[in-house]
Structures are given as C-alpha cells and as structure tokens.
Amino acid sequence: MQDKIEQLKSKLAQAFADIHSSESLFQTKMKYLGKTGEISELMKGMRDIPKEERPEAGKIINALRAWAEEKFADLDRTLKEIELNKQYKKEAVDVTLPGNRQPSGAYHPNTLVRRELISIFSGMGFTVFEGPEIETDYYNFTALNTPKDHPARDMQDTFYITDDLLLRTQTSAGQIRVMEKCKPPIKILSPGKVYRSDDDATHSPMFSQMEGLVVDKGITLCDLKGMLDEFARKIFGEGVKTRLRPSYFPFTEPSVEVDVSCFECGGKGCRLCKGTGWIEVLGAGMVNRHVLEGCGVDPEEYSGFAFGMGIERIAMLKYGINNMKLLFEGDVRFLKQFKG
Ligand code: PHE
C-alpha cells in the first residue's frame, strides 16, 4: 500500500508539473480525485485490505487526498491569477497614447466675409433679401434703366440662356424685385452669385456680390457716404483709407466708385493696384428716378441709394490674397488657414 501511495504521489507530482491551464488542471483533477479517479479507486480498494490494516491505510489515503486537494487548490489559484493577468494585459488601454486627431474644418473666406458684411449691415438696420440667379432680361437690365441696345450693356459680358433669360450679371436685379414688392421705407441687403464672361487674376466668370438698397423720404448722398465710411472702418480697420470717384451706372444718378488704399503696397503703387495705390471695391449711387418710377415709387416723395460690392474682392483685400483663383480652387492647404 505504501508503495502504491508513493508511486501515485510521484505520478501526481509529474502531472502537476504538466499543468499549464485551468482546463488541464480540471482534467487532471478528475483523473485523480473524480468519482472514478485513481485516489477514489484507492479508497474503494480498502475492501480488499485486512480489517486491522484498514484504519492505517485509510489515514494514509486520506492524507494523500488532502495533500492532492491542497496542491490542486494552490495550482488553481496560481493559474487563475496568471490567466487573469494575461487577460488584463490583452485588454489594457494605454491612456497616454495620443488620440486620433480629427482635423477641424474652416469657413471659406467668402463665407467669412459674407457673414461679416451681413453682420455689419444688419447692425445698421438692413435685412437680407435673396433674388434668383437665373433672371429675366427685364430685372437684370431693362428695369435698371438699361434697355436693349443701351451702350451700358457692354459694361458686363452676359451669359444668355434665351433671348429673355440670362445668368444675372449683378445683384442689382434684386433692387427691382424688392421695390416692386415692398413700399418704402426699404433697407435691404442682397448677397448672391453673379456671372460674367470675364476671367483673369482679379475676375472670375462666377463671383459673389453684396447689394444694398435704401429707399425712404429725404435720403441723400450724405447718407450713402456716412454709411460707406462706417462700413469701410468696420471691415478693413481704422487705418484703411477710402475715396469716392464720380462714375457711371445707368440705374444710379449720380454714381460713385469707392476705392480703398492698396493692401499690397500700402498705397505706393504696385502691380496689383496697377500702380495707382487704390483698389476699387464697390459701385454705388443715388437710385435713378427712372428706376424708382418704373417700380411705382414716386421720386418726388422718395429717394434712395444703392451700392454693390464684390465679396471676393473684399476677401482678397482683407486677407491679402493676391490671386482670385485661390478662392475657387478649393485647395485645403489654402482654405484651412481661415478660421471664423
Ligand atoms: N451693379 C453694379 C455692378 O455690378 C454695382 C452697383 C450696385 C452700382 C448698386 C451702383 C449701385 O457693377
């Protein structure tokens, strides 16, 4: 009996050494301690031992069983710990790793300028009206005192769709739509895309304009000038100089052109400002009485002023952009530099 026990013990010692997982521990435990396991069988074999030797044999077998159970329990604890640590390691998150950076977008300079203009002018009481991009010849030209064969039509190279339909060349078309619909006092701002067959470093076949129209009793050129000064200070800063030049538009009388000092050369004269030191930013004037009359507004009772500016041109001035193409190419390296 003693021999058998010793044999079993060394077999068990070998078996313990071979256990490397909870799974194999369970299998081995069943093999020795299970109902039909080797130690259990040893217990059953007590029947064949002479009665007087049984208590002693029982003691030895029980001691073996206790020893084995303790060993299994120890191993179980060790293995569980190892396996748990392995799992922890696998599931570990390194909170010190840098995150996945989400590049943040930026507003297009045109959007920034349009919003800024709207904000400046709505501060002066203007509301926004948006007209259609496909216009009739009437709204774009005739009602603006520019009938067919009027020489001023040559000022803008027009994309015609039919004889009567065209891509609007100016947001001024919106002036007529507003005056037809609303009675004075009128104070509207009309942003939008316009189209002209024109293409170089400072012109694009599609660009954006911002139109303004004020109609009320007693409006004079002084009101226009005061408002333009305020606008120029707000959009370009205190240091930027402006000047008004007499000009011509069929729908305003008198008409003026507003220039700002060149941002590239500071007014000394360079290629961008064509050596003049000034860059034209907008056209304006007092609404021509023919235009008022055509819209059913009595020019004896009311007067008004209108202005129109290129949004791209303002953006170029404001951000020092020297080629208009940059505003249409959509190059992210350029666009991401603008934060609203
Ligand atoms: N519509 C003119 C243009 O596109 C600008 C303008 C608007 C001039 C309003 C006078 C009054 O050039």
Side-chain angles (χ1 to χ4, degrees):
M1 172 59 90
Q2 195 66 46
D3 283 354
K4 253 191 178 173
I5 298 279
E6 286 308 319
Q7 256 181 29
L8 211 53
K9 241 185 154 169
S10 64
K11 237 172 102 179
L12 261 165
Q14 182 59 45
F16 285 140
D18 289 341
I19 292 173
H20 295 296
S21 69
S22 296
E23 176 65 26
S24 63
L25 179 124
F26 178 75
Q27 302 292 349
T28 315
K29 195 172 169 185
M30 292 316 280
K31 192 169 166 226
Y32 291 96
L33 292 171
K35 251 190 194 154
T36 54
E38 291 192 34
I39 294 175
S40 310
E41 289 301 321
L42 217 57
M43 266 316 204
K44 283 181 205 156
M46 293 268 281
R47 269 174 270 149
D48 309 327
I49 297 173
K51 222 177 173 182
E52 40 317 335
E53 289 175 23
R54 273 186 210 163
E56 188 56 27
K59 244 190 193 165
I60 300 168
I61 298 169
N62 275 335
L64 173 69
R65 159 170 247 152
W67 172 79
E69 273 174 352
E70 203 186 305
K71 272 287 213 195
F72 277 121
D74 278 354
L75 251 174
D76 190 44
R77 244 176 278 123
T78 318
L79 282 172
K80 284 241 166 75
E81 208 176 297
I82 290 171
E83 280 165 11
L84 207 63
N85 278 335
K86 258 194 205 157
Q87 196 183 335
Y88 283 159
K89 234 184 183 157
K90 218 169 80 187
E91 292 173 1
V93 175
D94 184 354
V95 291
T96 65
L97 278 177
N100 290 330
R101 203 177 284 274
Q102 288 293 329
S104 65
Y107 284 113
H108 192 282
N110 260 16
T111 307
L112 293 176
V113 168
R114 188 179 65 242
R115 288 186 176 189
E116 195 177 348
L117 289 172
I118 290 174
S119 153
I120 290 172
F121 284 106
S122 49
M124 301 183 203
F126 285 77
T127 53
V128 172
F129 165 86
E130 282 181 81
E133 281 174 41
I134 295 177
E135 261 301 2
T136 62
D137 187 275
Y138 176 78
Y139 285 103
N140 195 82
F141 287 125
T142 307
L144 286 164
N145 200 30
T146 324
K148 280 209 164 89
D149 73 27
H150 190 290
R153 284 210 180 194
D154 292 344
M155 286 166 79
Q156 299 163 5
D157 223 335
T158 310
F159 290 115
Y160 279 91
I161 297 167
T162 65
D163 271 356
D164 193 44
L165 281 181
L166 46 82
L167 294 179
R168 69 175 172 198
T169 60
Q170 49 190 354
T171 43
S172 303
Q175 288 186 31
I176 309 300
R177 290 188 176 272
V178 170
M179 283 192 282
E180 276 183 357
K181 258 200 243 135
C182 313
K183 293 230 162 316
I186 291 169
K187 209 169 183 184
I188 58 105
L189 201 59
S190 191
K193 293 192 181 97
V194 298
Y195 303 82
R196 291 180 201 179
S197 184
D198 218 350
D199 202 3
D200 60 37
T202 52
H203 295 90
S204 153
M206 187 275 287
F207 63 105
S208 322
Q209 279 188 334
M210 179 72 78
E211 189 88 6
L213 173 70
V214 175
V215 182
D216 204 350
K217 286 180 180 155
I219 299 290
T220 69
L221 197 67
C222 284
D223 298 311
L224 170 65
K225 188 167 190 317
M227 190 219 66
L228 285 175
D229 285 346
E230 167 88 353
F231 147 77
R233 273 197 302 272
K234 284 213 165 119
I235 193 104
F236 298 119
E238 297 295 326
V240 172
K241 290 187 278 184
T242 63
R243 77 173 181 190
L244 303 185
R245 278 183 291 115
S247 184
Y248 173 77
F249 298 102
F251 40 90
T252 47
E253 183 57 39
S255 302
V256 293
E257 208 103 50
V258 181
D259 297 345
V260 297
S261 47
C262 180
F263 66 87
E264 189 94 334
C265 62
K268 282 191 220 92
C270 66
R271 243 174 53 171
L272 189 73
C273 59
K274 299 183 183 91
T276 65
W278 296 94
I279 297 175
E280 170 196 326
V281 285
L282 63 91
M286 299 306 292
V287 181
N288 191 307
R289 56 185 297 127
H290 293 311
V291 176
L292 292 175
E293 266 165 5
C295 296
V297 178
D298 182 1
E300 296 304 323
E301 196 181 353
Y302 293 103
S303 57
F305 65 74
F307 59 89
M309 66 188 90
I311 293 180
E312 286 80 1
R313 194 174 283 262
I314 306 285
M316 288 169 78
L317 287 170
K318 211 174 149 59
Y319 299 115
I321 300 162
N322 58 10
N323 193 325
M324 203 184 215
K325 296 286 174 290
L326 288 164
L327 293 172
F328 296 101
E329 281 164 349
D331 190 327
V332 175
R333 291 168 303 178
F334 168 75
L335 293 175
K336 73 179 177 194
Q337 301 172 52
F338 300 89
K339 300 274 174 201

